[in-house]
Amino acid sequence: MEYILEIMPALLDGAVMTLKVFIFTLLGSIPLGILVAFALQTNFKPLQWLINIYIWLMRGTPLLLQLIFVFYGLPLIGIVFERYDAALFAFILNYAAYFAEIFRGGIQSIPEGQYEAAKVLRLTKFQTVTKIILPQVVKVVLPSIGNEVINLVKDTSLIYVLGLGDLLRAGKIAMSRDVSLLPLVLVGIIYLLLTAVLTLASKKLEKHYQYYK
C-alpha cells in the first residue's frame, strides 16, 4: 500500500493528460464527423470524392502511423506541431472519419417522408436538420458512438510514442524504475474504471432517448 501511494500521484498526473486528449478529441471529432456526414449527402461529386478519400485514409491506416506521420513526418515539409497539438490533430481527424461513417448510416436510416413532412411545414433546411433529423439520428447511432468513445479511451495510450506523459507512459516509467508489474496493474485498473464510467453514461443516454419509441 505504501508503494501504491508513492506512485499514484504520477499515475494520476498521467491520467489527467489521458483525459485531456480524450475530452478534446470528442469535442473536435463529433461535430466534425456530423458535418462530414451531412456533406456526404450532397450531390456535389468532387466534394463527395474528397471526403470518401479522407475517410478511406483515416480508417485504412493505423492511428499509430498517423500520429507518427503528423509529428515526425510533416516537419519535413515545413508543418510543425507541438507534441500535444500533434496528438489532438491526429486523433480528431481519425475519429471524425469514424463518427462520420456512423452518422452517415444514421442519416440514411431516416425515411424520406420526414424530409417531405418538413417541407410541408415550411421548415428551413437548418430547422429540418436540427429539429427533426439530428434528434432521430442521435438515437439510432448512440450504441455505435458509445463503442467508439470507449475505444478512444484505450487509444489515448498511443500518445506515448510522442513522448507525452499520459497514463500508460507514467506506468511504464514506474515499472522500469522499480522493476515491478504493480504500476501496470494499477494502470489497467484506472482504464477499467474509466471505461466502466463511460459505459454507464452511454447506457443512461440510450435509456433517455427511448422516448422516441
Side-chain angles (χ1 to χ4, degrees):
M1 183 59 67
E2 183 178 341
Y3 176 65
I4 290 175
L5 293 175
E6 179 184 335
I7 65 173
M8 191 55 73
L11 296 182
L12 292 178
D13 284 343
V16 169
M17 174 59 72
T18 293
L19 286 173
K20 282 173 61 179
V21 173
F22 168 76
I23 291 170
F24 285 110
T25 297
L26 280 186
L27 291 177
S29 61
I30 289 181
L32 180 58
I34 292 173
L35 289 175
V36 171
F38 277 104
L40 280 171
Q41 309 307 309
T42 66
N43 294 321
F44 188 52
K45 295 298 181 182
L47 179 60
Q48 285 187 348
W49 183 80
L50 286 174
I51 291 175
N52 281 319
I53 290 293
Y54 154 68
I55 291 175
W56 174 64
L57 286 173
M58 292 298 105
R59 298 179 70 197
T61 57
L63 177 54
L64 180 60
L65 174 62
Q66 294 165 23
L67 284 165
I68 294 171
F69 179 81
V70 169
F71 185 68
Y72 296 105
L74 290 183
L76 298 177
I77 58 173
I79 304 174
V80 180
F81 287 96
E82 295 293 330
R83 296 177 190 274
Y84 180 71
D85 296 335
L88 277 186
F89 182 75
F91 267 86
I92 288 173
L93 284 184
N94 180 276
Y95 270 83
Y98 283 92
F99 287 136
E101 281 295 280
I102 291 172
F103 280 104
R104 180 188 61 79
I107 292 168
Q108 290 179 347
S109 72
I110 305 301
E112 285 295 323
Q114 300 284 328
Y115 296 92
E116 294 170 2
K119 287 182 181 178
V120 170
L121 294 172
R122 297 184 178 178
L123 297 180
T124 65
K125 287 185 177 180
F126 181 77
Q127 289 173 325
T128 301
V129 169
T130 56
K131 303 294 185 181
I132 296 177
I133 305 304
L134 261 184
Q136 296 180 74
V137 169
V138 168
K139 189 259 181 186
V140 170
V141 303
L142 264 180
S144 299
I145 293 291
N147 288 336
E148 286 301 318
V149 168
I150 290 171
N151 285 334
L152 174 57
V153 173
K154 296 179 288 185
D155 280 349
T156 55
S157 62
L158 295 175
I159 64 175
Y160 81 92
V161 300
L162 304 186
L164 288 171
D166 72 313
L167 177 57
L168 180 60
R169 188 167 188 267
K172 289 179 69 177
I173 289 172
M175 180 193 70
S176 300
R177 180 191 65 218
D178 304 325
V179 195
S180 170
L181 284 176
L182 186 55
L184 290 187
V185 173
L186 293 174
V187 167
I189 291 172
I190 293 173
Y191 274 118
L192 285 172
L193 290 174
L194 290 174
T195 55
V197 169
L198 290 170
T199 300
L200 287 174
S202 175
K203 290 186 181 299
K204 283 189 174 294
L205 272 176
E206 289 178 36
K207 186 176 180 181
H208 171 73
Y209 276 93
Q210 292 303 311
Y211 64 76
Y212 278 112
K213 283 188 175 181

